[in-house]
Amino acid sequence: MIPFLNLGNVNARHRDEIVSAMIRVLDSGWYILGNEVRAFEKKFADYCGVSHAIGVANGLDALTLIFKAYMELGLMSEGDEVIVPANTYIASMLAVSANRLIPVPVEPHPDTFNIDIKQIEESISPRTKAIMVVHLYGQIGYSDELQKLADKYGLKVIEDSAQAHGALSQGKRAGSLGDASGFSFYPGKNLGALGDGGAVTTNDAELAHTIRALGNYGSKVKYENLFKGANSRLDELQAAILSVKIQYLDHDNQRRRVIAKQYLESICNPKLNLPKSISPESHVWHLFVVRTEQRDVFQQHLKDKAIGTVIHYPVPPHKQQAYGEWNVRSYPVTEEIHRTVLSLPIDPSMSDDEVRAVIDACNCY
């Protein structure tokens, strides 16, 4: 069996270092907001090329706290609008809604799965305050064209970088392109913890200090609460583990690129629509997503060949019960994507034989 993602193998490569880090935390007797978190925040900020990284509990909290901080700073208010991709995981929109802001979905470009920048301007209104760009499946969705549009209307650019750790755009990493970025360290991410975790990156010192307080009960000084905050903190154990794994992130991303290149060059079944990348460095292949009109038949075929797959994602946000008020809306490109996509195995621990087996199975479908 070739699993969709073999996290046991992914982490076993660094077992000794991870165990050592866990023991170090255990023996320290300090488990929240200590040296491990500070050390990882510094490493991650340096890696992304920003001044500030703030560890939080998960990726959704990272995005939610960005918007909450902008509201506390008086730059956004309830009822303001945020442009979001219609084709994304629902967390991107939940972060907006949680702050009583209004998500405004915009269709993706079918070649990249990312927001179609040419369609954004028609959705901008006097209440629009930000554009959220989601680097979906690991590919950068940001561009100079998007930034010029944001500058034209005075909008913040918020990156959802949950799937794009290490991806590059003109030499700058995801997390350093917009005004602020939210990351997830969910175990299956390119940089994954052994539990939930997340971070915000930014070059805005005031925003960073506000987010740090908001995630710590609204407090900068213990027992003095400036804001109605939350409890959203990256813990010492996960920070220590992430400090180990970040050393191997670039290497693992390169292995993903090698596998993706083999898929792109060797899968030649005309029934399958293969993904496209803007440039080699812009994509870290968190997911390798193909499209086919007979998605369920194809998935069963791969299952019969002992190959695991996942559908990312079967139901678009505007068709979810959570956004029932949107259910009558139609976003045809998004709906077509969600109806036809299937993610093939791609992780840095895959062997060449496993990669070849996936290719052969795709070509005999």
Side-chain angles (χ1 to χ4, degrees), residues 22-63:
M22 295 171 75
I23 292 172
R24 184 174 70 245
V25 174
L26 177 65
D27 291 346
S28 76
W30 193 290
Y31 308 123
I32 298 290
L33 296 183
N35 292 332
E36 299 290 349
V37 169
R38 284 190 289 272
F40 173 70
E41 288 177 339
K42 178 66 165 59
K43 288 179 183 178
F44 195 60
D46 290 346
Y47 178 82
C48 292
V50 295
S51 303
H52 306 277
I54 307 98
V56 297
N58 53 68
L60 175 57
D61 280 4
L63 294 171

Side-chain angles (χ1 to χ4, degrees), residues 202-245:
T202 184
N203 284 312
D204 184 333
E206 187 176 21
L207 181 71
H209 296 153
T210 304
I211 289 170
R212 191 176 295 283
L214 284 169
N216 189 33
Y217 298 97
S219 174
K220 292 182 179 180
V221 177
K222 194 170 185 178
Y223 302 131
E224 295 181 15
N225 304 84
L226 301 174
F227 313 109
K228 296 174 182 176
N231 177 10
S232 182
R233 304 175 297 202
L234 182 66
D235 68 70
E236 288 285 282
L237 187 62
Q238 301 303 339
I241 293 166
L242 289 165
S243 284
V244 170
K245 295 185 69 177

